[in-house]
Amino acid sequence: MGNQASRGRNRPQQEQPPQTFAYPPPQQVQGPPQAQQEPVLYGPQSINNGQMYGGWRPPYQQQNFVPPPMPQTAQAPQQPQELTQTATIRNAVNLKKNTLKLVPLSDSPGKFSIHFVFDASTPCRLTCFVVGQEDPAEGCRINGMKYPPALPGFYGKGLGHIYPKPGAPLSEQVIIDLSQNPEELAAAKGDEYPLIFRLETISEKGLADGHVLEELEVGQKQQVWVQSQTTFACVAKNEEGQHMCKVLKQKIWVEGISYELQEIYGMEHASDGRVKTQV
């Protein structure tokens, strides 16, 4: 029984060591092989806000940087380019725009005489109109004149012709009165222009056919055998408040076709009288 009593006493239990389980390292986990991809960066600021935590920075290379996709915006449709046809044409007459001016009459306040200089490689005729209309559909005819045109003047071949001729009486000059209704000379209204100056000459073919300047009617429809230059202008004020002539455009008529001048080289800058024109 003593042995039994000794067997029945509680014996202290020995502590068992904790059980541990060994797991294979991550690289030994079996599974389908995965393709390694290059890291795609959308800017350093998107990774750890560009800071280092614990001295560690993601091992991404700068050459792998890909800019973030930009939102696509609708592109405005491109306007078709307007083509301008140009041509070089020999012009026989040329009014120099920078010489066009108003000269006040000393004995008549508010009245001015129009002066300018022009070149002519062949004999020509000059006609001046105050407030007239051009009709492009009728050979650039000048009609609808509110005032009678000045008497036509005839000039020979030469450079630097002066209008009006030195010593010419007022009856042979263009006189405008700005003291009454100056607004009618201030701007063009459709095909109506305040001031029109037309230089006309006969083409080589017209001379061969026997045409002369004297058979031309004032402001008539331009004939195929006529070559001309027409200057359209108005009256404006400069920065000092003085009245001046302002050229609106210039056109030439050659072999039955009208051209608007884009830029004048003419006899003012070239001895052969060529003019670059815009159709």
Side-chain angles (χ1 to χ4, degrees), residues 227-242:
Q227 183 175 351
S228 68
Q229 183 195 65
T230 306
T231 301
F232 303 87
C234 66
V235 177
K237 288 187 177 182
N238 56 22
E239 297 179 356
E240 289 76 20
Q242 300 175 347

Side-chain angles (χ1 to χ4, degrees), residues 4 31 56 62 68 72 82 113 125 239 242 271 278:
Q4 292 179 355
W56 178 85
Q62 186 67 22
Q72 296 183 357
E82 183 176 352
S113 174
R125 185 184 78 169
E239 297 179 356
Q242 300 175 347
S271 59
Q278 175 178 338

Side-chain angles (χ1 to χ4, degrees), residues 191-239:
D191 290 330
E192 182 180 274
Y193 297 91
L195 301 172
I196 303 175
F197 311 99
R198 174 163 287 178
L199 291 164
E200 298 170 295
T201 185
I202 307 299
S203 65
E204 294 180 359
K205 186 177 185 305
L207 292 174
D209 293 339
H211 294 288
V212 293
L213 290 171
E214 286 73 16
E215 65 182 279
L216 295 176
E217 297 180 6
V218 174
Q220 73 170 15
K221 176 181 178 180
Q222 299 280 271
Q223 303 297 322
V224 177
W225 44 269
V226 171
Q227 183 175 351
S228 68
Q229 183 195 65
T230 306
T231 301
F232 303 87
C234 66
V235 177
K237 288 187 177 182
N238 56 22
E239 297 179 356

Side-chain angles (χ1 to χ4, degrees), residues 265-276:
Y265 298 98
M267 288 172 285
E268 185 175 0
H269 299 287
S271 59
D272 60 356
R274 288 182 297 175
V275 177
K276 184 179 181 181

